[in-house]
Amino acid sequence: MTMMNTIKILMMGAAAAIMAACSNNKFHVEGELTGAADSVLYFEHIGLSGIEETGRLTLDEDGRFSFSGEAPEAPEFYRLRIDGQIINVAIDSTETVTIKARYPQMATDYEVSGSADNQKIKELALKQIDFQERTLALEGSGSLSTDELRDSLQRMLATYKEEVTNDYIYKEPYRSYAYFALFQTLGPWLIFDPKNNADDIKVFAAVATSWDTFYPGAERGENLHNIAIEGMKNVRVMNARKTPMDVDQTKIEESGVIEIGLADNHGRMRRLTDLKGRVVLLDFHVFALKDSPTRILSLREYYNKYHAQGLEIFQVSLDNDEHFWKQMTEALPWICVRDAEGTNSPLMVSYNIFSLPEFFLIDRQNNLVKRSSQMEDLDAEIKALL
């Protein structure tokens, strides 16, 4: 063998080693997604600061796809998405996750292999969907009073949280699926409330402590600690004062209503007390809820019918996404403001709100008259005040 051939072989070997090393520092998410030919499949990173697209491809008839990225030092979270259908994926180091799914039910109709954590995440996703469907069915049954409905929903929530806590979080708090479980939602709300619920704060703290041990210095672990600490402060403040169980009567006697002063969707400060002289429908709303479009159409009917006679709508949005809220309210004719604290807003406590949407009627003297549960015929109630 000549010296030149020897050098060539050594260089080829070195190149192969470098390529193998590079490959070993990547994770892979691959598989098949049938029934979605010509659809665009997005691969997105779910970061602490938001969702970022990291790849996309247009699916062929066979539905094969493959994405890869730099292996993280601590678990990270991604998702496969076509329109509103989502499959959540946790990535830990250089693993290969294989997914086989069927569109358009890909969010529930999929199989995952190569990752025990992602199998658990699938279980959690299906449990969350089932839980949400059961709560919607209960709310829509119409067979329970407001108090009965609230008590039933609270019992369902407590049962769900107990199961998830024991079977998925406390069992292995250092795993990515335990972290994923902390941030499950019911509509726009977190199922585990790390801001106001002492038991839920302990759950966050347990995962934070475990991540400190297994992933020291990880940004997500530090974020969990910050959330838990802030929640502990909130609980101490709440325990130091009596939380009102109904609309604060002292404030109502002083000013007629509990004041709300927030910027509207055009940046202008709007105050509820400035509407004295008009009948006001005070509406607390979340535009991200599924039934929001139907509710907005109903409000438009009342506004179009009675605005010229003196009705005004003062709508308080509790949406987390400001840009989405501005888009949804751009063409609405009434007053739309947004509380950046979302469903953790103190207004939820001051107005004794347990579910959304919720609304109140205020007379021309700026007095809070009735809430939704006290009204059988909203149209008749508005006419009586006008």
Coordinates of all heavy atoms in Angstrom, one line a residue, residues 148-180:
E148 N -74.8 23.6 42.1 CA -74.6 22.2 41.9 C -73.6 21.9 40.8 O -72.7 21.0 40.9 CB -75.9 21.5 41.5 CG -76.9 21.4 42.7 CD -78.3 20.9 42.2 OE1 -78.6 21.0 41.0 OE2 -79.0 20.3 43.0
L149 N -73.6 22.7 39.7 CA -72.7 22.6 38.7 C -71.3 22.9 39.2 O -70.3 22.2 38.9 CB -73.0 23.5 37.5 CG -72.1 23.6 36.3 CD1 -71.9 22.2 35.7 CD2 -72.5 24.6 35.3
R150 N -71.1 24.0 39.9 CA -69.8 24.4 40.4 C -69.2 23.3 41.3 O -68.1 22.9 41.2 CB -69.9 25.7 41.2 CG -68.6 26.2 41.8 CD -68.8 27.4 42.6 NE -69.7 27.1 43.8 CZ -70.4 28.0 44.5 NH1 -70.4 29.3 44.1 NH2 -71.1 27.6 45.5
D151 N -70.1 22.7 42.2 CA -69.6 21.7 43.1 C -69.2 20.4 42.4 O -68.2 19.8 42.7 CB -70.7 21.3 44.2 CG -71.0 22.5 45.1 OD1 -70.1 23.4 45.2 OD2 -72.0 22.5 45.8
S152 N -70.0 20.1 41.4 CA -69.7 18.9 40.6 C -68.3 19.0 39.8 O -67.5 18.1 39.7 CB -70.8 18.6 39.6 OG -72.0 18.2 40.3
L153 N -68.2 20.2 39.2 CA -66.9 20.5 38.5 C -65.7 20.5 39.4 O -64.7 20.0 39.0 CB -67.0 21.8 37.7 CG -68.0 21.9 36.6 CD1 -68.1 23.3 36.0 CD2 -67.6 21.0 35.4
Q154 N -65.9 21.0 40.6 CA -64.8 21.1 41.5 C -64.4 19.6 42.0 O -63.2 19.3 42.1 CB -65.1 21.9 42.7 CG -65.2 23.4 42.4 CD -65.6 24.2 43.6 OE1 -66.2 23.7 44.6 NE2 -65.3 25.5 43.6
R155 N -65.4 18.8 42.2 CA -65.1 17.4 42.5 C -64.4 16.7 41.4 O -63.4 15.9 41.6 CB -66.4 16.6 42.9 CG -67.0 17.0 44.3 CD -68.0 16.0 44.7 NE -69.2 16.0 43.8 CZ -70.2 16.8 43.9 NH1 -70.3 17.7 44.9 NH2 -71.2 16.7 43.1
M156 N -64.8 16.9 40.1 CA -64.2 16.3 39.0 C -62.8 16.7 38.9 O -61.9 15.9 38.6 CB -65.0 16.6 37.7 CG -66.3 15.9 37.6 SD -67.3 16.5 36.2 CE -66.2 16.1 34.8
L157 N -62.5 18.0 39.1 CA -61.2 18.6 39.0 C -60.3 18.0 40.0 O -59.1 17.6 39.8 CB -61.3 20.1 39.1 CG -59.9 20.8 39.1 CD1 -59.2 20.6 37.7 CD2 -60.1 22.3 39.3
A158 N -60.8 17.9 41.3 CA -60.0 17.3 42.4 C -59.6 15.9 42.1 O -58.5 15.5 42.3 CB -60.8 17.4 43.7
T159 N -60.6 15.1 41.6 CA -60.3 13.7 41.2 C -59.2 13.6 40.1 O -58.3 12.8 40.2 CB -61.6 13.0 40.8 OG1 -62.5 13.0 41.9 CG2 -61.3 11.5 40.4
Y160 N -59.4 14.4 39.1 CA -58.4 14.4 38.0 C -57.0 14.7 38.5 O -56.0 14.0 38.2 CB -58.8 15.3 36.9 CG -57.9 15.3 35.7 CD1 -58.1 14.4 34.7 CD2 -56.9 16.2 35.6 CE1 -57.3 14.4 33.6 CE2 -56.1 16.2 34.5 CZ -56.2 15.3 33.5 OH -55.4 15.3 32.4
K161 N -56.9 15.8 39.3 CA -55.6 16.2 39.8 C -54.9 15.2 40.7 O -53.7 15.0 40.6 CB -55.8 17.6 40.5 CG -56.0 18.7 39.6 CD -56.5 20.0 40.3 CE -55.5 20.6 41.1 NZ -55.9 21.9 41.7
E162 N -55.8 14.5 41.5 CA -55.2 13.5 42.4 C -54.6 12.4 41.6 O -53.5 11.9 41.9 CB -56.3 13.0 43.3 CG -55.8 12.0 44.3 CD -56.9 11.5 45.2 OE1 -58.1 11.8 45.0 OE2 -56.6 10.7 46.2
E163 N -55.3 11.9 40.5 CA -54.8 10.8 39.7 C -53.5 11.2 39.0 O -52.6 10.5 39.0 CB -55.9 10.5 38.7 CG -55.5 9.4 37.7 CD -56.5 9.0 36.7 OE1 -57.6 9.6 36.7 OE2 -56.2 8.2 35.8
V164 N -53.5 12.4 38.4 CA -52.3 12.8 37.6 C -51.1 13.0 38.6 O -50.0 12.7 38.3 CB -52.6 14.1 36.9 CG1 -51.3 14.7 36.3 CG2 -53.6 13.8 35.7
T165 N -51.4 13.6 39.8 CA -50.3 13.9 40.7 C -49.7 12.6 41.2 O -48.5 12.4 41.2 CB -50.9 14.6 42.0 OG1 -51.4 15.9 41.5 CG2 -49.8 14.8 43.0
N166 N -50.5 11.6 41.5 CA -50.0 10.3 42.1 C -49.4 9.4 41.0 O -48.4 8.8 41.2 CB -51.1 9.6 42.8 CG -51.6 10.3 44.1 OD1 -50.8 11.1 44.7 ND2 -52.8 10.1 44.5
D167 N -50.0 9.4 39.8 CA -49.6 8.4 38.8 C -48.6 8.9 37.8 O -47.9 8.1 37.2 CB -50.8 7.9 38.0 CG -51.8 7.1 38.9 OD1 -51.4 6.7 40.0 OD2 -53.0 6.9 38.5
Y168 N -48.5 10.3 37.7 CA -47.6 10.8 36.7 C -46.6 11.8 37.2 O -45.5 12.0 36.6 CB -48.4 11.5 35.6 CG -49.3 10.5 34.8 CD1 -50.6 10.2 35.2 CD2 -48.7 9.9 33.7 CE1 -51.3 9.3 34.5 CE2 -49.5 9.0 33.0 CZ -50.8 8.7 33.4 OH -51.6 7.8 32.7
I169 N -46.9 12.5 38.3 CA -45.9 13.6 38.8 C -45.1 13.1 39.9 O -43.8 13.0 39.8 CB -46.7 14.8 39.2 CG1 -47.4 15.4 37.9 CG2 -45.7 15.9 39.7 CD1 -48.3 16.6 38.2
Y170 N -45.7 12.7 41.0 CA -44.9 12.3 42.2 C -44.2 10.9 41.9 O -43.2 10.6 42.5 CB -45.8 12.1 43.4 CG -46.1 13.4 44.0 CD1 -47.3 13.6 44.9 CD2 -45.3 14.6 43.9 CE1 -47.6 14.8 45.5 CE2 -45.6 15.8 44.5 CZ -46.8 15.9 45.3 OH -47.1 17.0 45.9
K171 N -44.7 10.2 41.0 CA -44.1 8.9 40.7 C -42.6 9.0 40.2 O -41.7 8.3 40.6 CB -44.9 8.1 39.7 CG -44.6 6.6 39.5 CD -45.6 5.9 38.6 CE -45.3 4.5 38.5 NZ -46.2 3.8 37.6
E172 N -42.4 9.9 39.2 CA -41.1 10.2 38.7 C -41.0 11.6 38.3 O -41.1 12.0 37.1 CB -40.8 9.3 37.4 CG -40.8 7.8 37.7 CD -40.5 7.0 36.4 OE1 -41.3 7.1 35.5 OE2 -39.5 6.3 36.4
P173 N -40.8 12.5 39.3 CA -40.9 13.9 39.1 C -39.8 14.5 38.2 O -39.9 15.6 37.7 CB -40.9 14.5 40.5 CG -40.2 13.5 41.3 CD -40.7 12.2 40.7
Y174 N -38.7 13.7 38.0 CA -37.6 14.2 37.2 C -37.9 13.9 35.7 O -37.1 14.4 34.8 CB -36.3 13.5 37.6 CG -36.4 12.0 37.4 CD1 -35.9 11.4 36.3 CD2 -36.9 11.2 38.5 CE1 -36.0 10.0 36.1 CE2 -36.9 9.8 38.3 CZ -36.5 9.2 37.2 OH -36.6 7.9 37.0
R175 N -38.9 13.2 35.3 CA -39.1 12.8 33.9 C -39.9 14.0 33.2 O -40.6 14.8 33.8 CB -40.0 11.6 33.8 CG -39.4 10.4 34.6 CD -38.0 10.0 34.0 NE -38.1 9.4 32.7 CZ -38.1 8.1 32.4 NH1 -38.1 7.2 33.4 NH2 -38.2 7.7 31.2
S176 N -39.7 14.0 31.9 CA -40.3 15.0 31.1 C -41.8 15.0 31.1 O -42.5 16.0 31.0 CB -39.8 14.9 29.6 OG -40.1 13.6 29.1
Y177 N -42.4 13.8 31.3 CA -43.8 13.7 31.3 C -44.4 14.3 32.6 O -45.6 14.8 32.6 CB -44.3 12.3 31.1 CG -44.1 11.3 32.1 CD1 -44.9 11.2 33.3 CD2 -43.0 10.4 32.0 CE1 -44.7 10.3 34.3 CE2 -42.8 9.4 33.0 CZ -43.6 9.4 34.1 OH -43.4 8.4 35.1
A178 N -43.6 14.3 33.7 CA -44.1 14.9 34.9 C -44.1 16.4 34.7 O -45.1 17.1 35.2 CB -43.1 14.6 36.1
Y179 N -43.1 17.0 34.1 CA -43.1 18.4 33.7 C -44.3 18.7 32.8 O -45.0 19.7 33.1 CB -41.8 18.8 33.1 CG -41.6 20.2 32.7 CD1 -40.8 21.0 33.5 CD2 -42.2 20.8 31.6 CE1 -40.6 22.4 33.2 CE2 -42.0 22.1 31.3 CZ -41.2 22.9 32.1 OH -41.1 24.2 31.8
F180 N -44.5 17.9 31.8 CA -45.6 18.1 30.9 C -46.9 18.2 31.6 O -47.8 19.0 31.3 CB -45.6 17.0 29.8 CG -46.8 17.1 28.9 CD1 -46.7 17.9 27.8 CD2 -47.9 16.3 29.1 CE1 -47.8 18.0 26.9 CE2 -49.0 16.4 28.2 CZ -48.9 17.2 27.1

